[in-house]
Amino acid sequence: MVCTMAFLRALISTARMLRHSPPLSAGLPADDAVLLDAPDERLSPALVAAALGDHEPAAKLLATTRDAADWENRDRYLGRLTTFARHRDGWLTDWLAAAPRDPDALLVKAELAVRHAWESPARAERLHEVGPLITAAAEADPRDPVPWRLALDHARGSHATHTAFESLWEQAVRRSAHHYGCHVAALRYLSAAWYGSHRECFDFAERAAEDALPDSLVQALPVRAAFALLLDTQALGRTTSVLEERIDAAADTAIRLSAAYRPGDPWPAEVRNLLAYVLLARGRWADALDQFTLIGQHATSFPWSSVSDDALGRFLDARDGARLQVASVTPLRDRAGRGRPRGHYA
């Protein structure tokens, strides 16, 4: 009888998937329409020009963010331009030759040097060597918090003490109290993988989220703490009910943040990708599928590259998995008052 019932449940689940999977795909772009880390309309021309050896659009873009004190986009664009420069840096060399004291060129130079140092087997030693480049970028525009985000990353890799890190953190938040990148850098320093613990991460992330401005990405810090815990949990095979409650609370906070942005908006795309991963790990299939619908075509390397060498493939597999899981628990017949299952463990 037990085997018969299990067989019947499997048949029903399969029937549900066959019936409901196509409608659930309606709000999702086709696999070949999904792009990994697609640049926005401001960044794209700068990358195209850099590929042709022209640094002027990149210089103008970063100068515009600095003039407008648009620190969040400045940090984001810096990351993408630095990634490009790791493979093709001729345009950056020309930029530095033409304007050796340009605050924006110095910032890209410093970020690139930090990344190279992080990749070196002699990481701590190499990071100490690039410290003056970060100082030069910070001094080039004292208002800019982004060099201080670099300094926080640098401090983590060079084994800075808590006291030294706190001093850098004070400088960072003095320039921008709610800068997302600086908060992420602090969260990494406090992580169990470095100089803290999962509880310290959650404590810091939850306090920062409570103090964050409306619709600020800082509200997503707890879900980043949750992601770090989930990775360790998968490796170690254990967690606690208290931490699981904090994971679900972090996901709920991030869901509310995601709802504040329009579907397909590239700005919160990384947060939505991260949130989808956490929701899947918690078995919250319907909530995860909602996030994949809001993500649209904007897949991001993080978090999928943390668990797979094929970030885009992992994203698409996760999206399909969420869709099939939701389909498998959707009743074969519509019932009054019922629709697509939602909420925890739907």
Side-chain angles (χ1 to χ4, degrees), residues 72 178-180 183 205 208-209 212-213 216-222 257:
E72 300 291 1
H178 305 285
H179 185 259
Y180 180 61
H183 279 77
L213 298 172
S216 167
L217 296 186
V218 172
Q219 293 180 36
L221 280 186
L257 173 64

Side-chain angles (χ1 to χ4, degrees), residues 93-114:
T93 301
D94 292 344
W95 184 5
L96 287 164
R101 296 185 180 180
D102 185 325
D104 308 309
L106 290 174
L107 186 59
V108 179
K109 179 181 179 181
E111 169 89 337
L112 184 60
V114 168

Side-chain angles (χ1 to χ4, degrees), residues 82-94:
T82 303
T83 297
F84 187 85
R86 287 175 65 188
H87 306 287
R88 299 176 66 177
D89 64 356
W91 60 278
L92 177 58
T93 301
D94 292 344

Side-chain angles (χ1 to χ4, degrees), residues 117-142:
W118 267 95
E119 296 168 356
S120 170
R123 176 191 296 162
E125 181 181 346
R126 289 286 305 278
L127 282 171
H128 282 299
E129 293 173 359
V130 304
L133 298 180
I134 300 174
T135 301
E139 291 176 347
D141 188 340

Side-chain angles (χ1 to χ4, degrees), residues 9-333:
R9 283 195 294 270
L11 287 178
I12 292 171
S13 178
T14 301
R16 288 171 171 173
M17 284 191 286
L18 291 173
R19 175 169 180 175
H20 296 297
S21 289
L24 290 173
S25 300
L28 302 173
D31 286 2
D32 58 6
V34 177
L35 304 174
L36 187 67
D37 300 326
D40 66 19
E41 66 278 2
R42 297 172 67 190
L43 177 61
S44 183
L47 291 173
V48 171
L52 298 174
D54 182 5
H55 66 271
E56 288 291 346
K60 182 177 180 180
L61 176 63
L62 289 182
T64 299
T65 62
R66 181 163 46 86
D67 292 342
D70 183 7
W71 308 126
E72 300 291 1
N73 270 319
R74 179 173 178 78
D75 204 0
R76 178 176 297 198
Y77 294 150
L78 170 67
R80 295 298 305 277
L81 289 167
T82 303
T83 297
F84 187 85
R86 287 175 65 188
H87 306 287
R88 299 176 66 177
D89 64 356
W91 60 278
L92 177 58
T93 301
D94 292 344
W95 184 5
L96 287 164
R101 296 185 180 180
D102 185 325
D104 308 309
L106 290 174
L107 186 59
V108 179
K109 179 181 179 181
E111 169 89 337
L112 184 60
V114 168
R115 291 202 192 181
H116 284 318
W118 267 95
E119 296 168 356
S120 170
R123 176 191 296 162
E125 181 181 346
R126 289 286 305 278
L127 282 171
H128 282 299
E129 293 173 359
V130 304
L133 298 180
I134 300 174
T135 301
E139 291 176 347
D141 188 340
R143 303 172 305 139
D144 188 356
V146 180
W148 295 95
R149 192 268 298 160
L150 276 181
L152 292 170
D153 287 336
H154 176 271
R156 175 166 52 93
S158 57
H159 309 300
T161 65
H162 277 66
T163 299
F165 192 88
E166 288 170 5
S167 177
L168 295 172
W169 171 250
E170 181 182 344
Q171 293 291 334
V173 297
R174 183 182 299 172
R175 287 160 175 80
S176 180
H178 305 285
H179 185 259
Y180 180 61
C182 289
H183 279 77
V184 170
L187 193 70
R188 287 172 174 159
Y189 184 89
L190 293 171
S191 70
W194 289 92
Y195 308 110
S197 67
H198 291 302
R199 284 184 172 81
E200 286 180 280
C201 266
F202 271 109
D203 289 345
F204 171 79
E206 289 165 357
R207 284 196 301 269
E210 289 173 2
D211 295 339
L213 298 172
D215 304 341
S216 167
L217 296 186
V218 172
Q219 293 180 36
L221 280 186
V223 87
R224 289 190 74 108
F227 173 72
L229 173 61
L230 287 168
L231 286 187
D232 274 5
T233 299
Q234 292 166 6
L236 301 175
R238 63 177 182 272
T239 186
T240 67
S241 59
V242 173
L243 286 175
E244 288 177 355
E245 290 175 3
R246 295 179 88 168
I247 292 172
D248 283 326
D252 291 337
T253 298
I255 287 172
R256 290 191 292 272
L257 173 64
S258 176
Y261 293 92
R262 63 178 175 80
D265 189 340
W267 175 253
E270 185 178 272
V271 167
R272 284 171 168 163
N273 276 253
L274 176 62
L275 174 57
Y277 179 97
V278 171
L279 290 168
L280 288 174
R282 296 295 295 147
R284 296 172 59 172
W285 315 115
D287 286 339
L289 186 58
D290 285 343
Q291 293 307 312
F292 282 118
T293 302
L294 292 171
I295 289 166
Q297 66 179 23
H298 293 287
T300 58
S301 292
F302 181 78
W304 312 107
S305 61
S306 301
V307 295
S308 172
D309 291 333
D310 179 9
L312 181 56
R314 185 68 182 86
F315 170 89
L316 295 173
D317 288 345
R319 191 179 68 163
D320 284 345
R323 179 174 55 82
L324 292 174
Q325 287 287 351
V326 171
S328 72
V329 297
T330 301
L332 283 171
R333 285 183 155 186

